[in-house]
Amino acid sequence: CQANQRCRLQSTTQATALIFLREVSNVSRTDQKPYCFELTTKDKSYYISCANDEELYSWMDEIYQVAASIFGMIAPMPAD
């Protein structure tokens, strides 16, 4: 699934949520599950589980890139 498409759980044919980037206030890695990140909106947090680190960071980078170009969201600097 690409970052600009609606994604579905592998075991279902229905989308589980539609999250508008304009509503996202924060994107961060979390330890809820392996390879998981959190999308935070003013009303709710969404935990997105990926298959591996490459997929996780690909999604996060794509979200930051699109959000920065449209809404001015700034990606965090990598830890040293």
Side-chain angles (χ1 to χ4, degrees), residues 6-18:
R6 281 189 240 177
C7 292
R8 297 184 169 116
L9 294 176
Q10 291 179 359
S11 61
T12 184
T13 58
Q14 294 183 327
T16 57
L18 179 61

Side-chain angles (χ1 to χ4, degrees), residues 3-80:
N4 59 352
Q5 297 175 335
R6 281 189 240 177
C7 292
R8 297 184 169 116
L9 294 176
Q10 291 179 359
S11 61
T12 184
T13 58
Q14 294 183 327
T16 57
L18 179 61
I19 306 166
F20 294 98
L21 283 179
R22 68 177 171 264
E23 297 175 1
V24 174
S25 59
N26 190 43
V27 180
S28 60
R29 177 108 191 231
T30 182
D31 292 329
Q32 290 287 337
K33 289 184 174 184
Y35 316 117
C36 186
F37 67 97
E38 177 182 11
L39 291 174
T40 306
T41 68
K42 68 177 183 169
D43 298 321
K44 189 172 182 178
S45 288
Y46 298 89
Y47 296 92
I48 313 298
S49 184
C50 299
N52 54 45
D53 271 335
E54 182 180 343
E55 182 180 15
L56 179 141
Y57 288 113
S58 174
W59 270 98
M60 289 180 67
D61 289 346
E62 188 71 25
I63 292 166
Y64 282 129
Q65 191 173 48
V66 171
S69 67
I70 297 172
F71 309 110
M73 182 185 285
I74 300 172
M77 299 301 289
D80 288 335

